[in-house]
Amino acid sequence: DTAVSQTPKYLVTQMGNDKSIKCEQNLGHDTMYWYKQDSKKFLKIMFSYNNKELIINETVPNRFSPKSPDKAHLNLHINSLELGDSAVYFCASSQGFQENSPLHFGNGTRLTVT
Amino acid sequence: SQKIEQNSEALNIQEGKTATLTCNYTNYSPAYLQWYRQDPGRGPVFLLLIRENEKEKRKERLKVTFDTTLKQSLFHITASQPADSATYLCALPTNAGNMLTFGGGTRLMVKP
């Protein structure tokens, strides 16, 4: 059973388009995240949701809009895609936000903007 | 803000030897520190967590130390195997709850 699953795995699109990435976790966790990993492999937090409520938005352009319809899902919609958005996007979940619980990551969505 | 430094150069070692990876941070000492493993094309996988009041933590062939004076954590893999080849990331919580900041990772290559 896949604990954190993201779709699609690969996404190739042109500048200016709008695209969405979906994420689902079946671990019963309260908190979900989106991380961006750039070409230098640095993982940077973008958003964190706890019980469907936005906790953290780390100075991400408002072209990025996360949506959490329920605790098990956190989708990422990106408007007006730019070349610099090309990266691997990882969804993750954890049990609780204030606790030191480890993150469970999906296998990433490689976004290429041409 | 917290800066995390891991050796960006790959570490190449011979099978059977002990691999030691370093994670240094610059500002406040966190309440805990985590280590993750990342394989190509996959998401990071949690390995170990060590708290600030713990000097050392072990799990099978893995050992992590945490020195708050040096602001450093060391990650050891004893009796290394080619299957241990991966990128290893350390992560520290920021002041905002469980939000983790990751280091850039160190790539480990274990040669048979």
Side-chain angles (χ1 to χ4, degrees):
Chain A
D1 285 343
T2 304
V4 181
S5 58
Q6 300 178 225
T7 54
K9 188 168 176 61
Y10 300 98
L11 190 50
V12 181
T13 188
Q14 291 184 329
M15 283 175 55
N17 284 348
D18 304 338
K19 290 293 178 185
S20 292
I21 306 172
K22 294 186 176 181
C23 178
E24 175 182 5
Q25 54 95 3
N26 62 5
L27 297 166
H29 286 166
D30 294 330
T31 308
M32 296 185 73
Y33 311 80
W34 277 107
Y35 276 82
K36 178 181 180 180
Q37 190 169 45
D38 59 25
S39 56
K40 294 185 179 178
K41 304 300 183 185
F42 278 95
L43 263 174
K44 294 181 183 175
I45 182 75
M46 299 175 67
F47 298 101
S48 172
Y49 268 71
N50 189 349
N51 278 321
K52 301 192 301 174
E53 290 189 16
L54 178 66
I55 302 297
I56 290 168
N57 175 346
E58 279 293 301
T59 60
V60 177
N62 56 15
R63 297 182 296 106
F64 290 78
S65 53
K67 279 193 172 52
S68 182
D70 54 58
K71 280 192 340 179
H73 296 84
L74 181 61
N75 303 322
L76 184 64
H77 188 76
I78 315 170
N79 289 327
S80 304
L81 278 156
E82 299 176 358
L83 291 176
D85 297 333
S86 296
V88 182
Y89 292 84
F90 286 98
C91 176
S93 71
S94 70
Q95 185 54 54
F97 181 68
Q98 294 296 332
E99 301 159 14
N100 56 16
S101 51
L103 300 184
H104 296 255
F105 284 87
N107 281 327
T109 295
R110 182 174 291 277
L111 172 64
T112 304
V113 183
T114 61
Chain B
S1 60
Q2 188 76 279
K3 242 187 179 177
I4 304 172
E5 296 167 351
Q6 293 186 256
N7 194 344
S8 58
E9 292 182 16
L11 177 63
N12 294 294
I13 64 167
Q14 204 66 35
E15 182 176 8
K17 300 291 186 186
T18 296
T20 298
L21 287 70
T22 305
C23 175
N24 295 301
Y25 56 93
T26 56
N27 291 339
Y28 61 89
S29 274
Y32 60 89
L33 187 150
Q34 299 183 11
W35 282 90
Y36 289 77
R37 169 185 172 141
Q38 186 173 22
D39 291 286
R42 307 295 293 265
V45 174
F46 171 75
L47 295 174
L48 278 168
L49 180 150
I50 185 165
R51 292 180 174 79
E52 59 179 339
N53 60 351
E54 297 174 319
K55 295 290 185 204
E56 184 180 294
K57 198 82 168 278
R58 291 176 185 261
K59 180 183 174 183
E60 297 170 357
R61 293 183 296 110
L62 308 180
K63 183 178 87 171
V64 171
T65 62
F66 193 4
D67 189 325
T68 54
T69 303
L70 293 178
K71 296 189 176 182
Q72 182 181 79
S73 175
L74 297 179
F75 178 83
H76 306 272
I77 306 177
T78 57
S80 59
Q81 303 166 1
D84 295 326
S85 299
T87 296
Y88 291 86
L89 306 158
C90 68
L92 284 68
T94 67
N95 286 331
N98 199 32
M99 193 185 87
L100 289 179
T101 299
F102 282 81
T106 298
R107 189 173 173 215
L108 172 68
M109 298 281 292
V110 181
K111 298 184 178 177

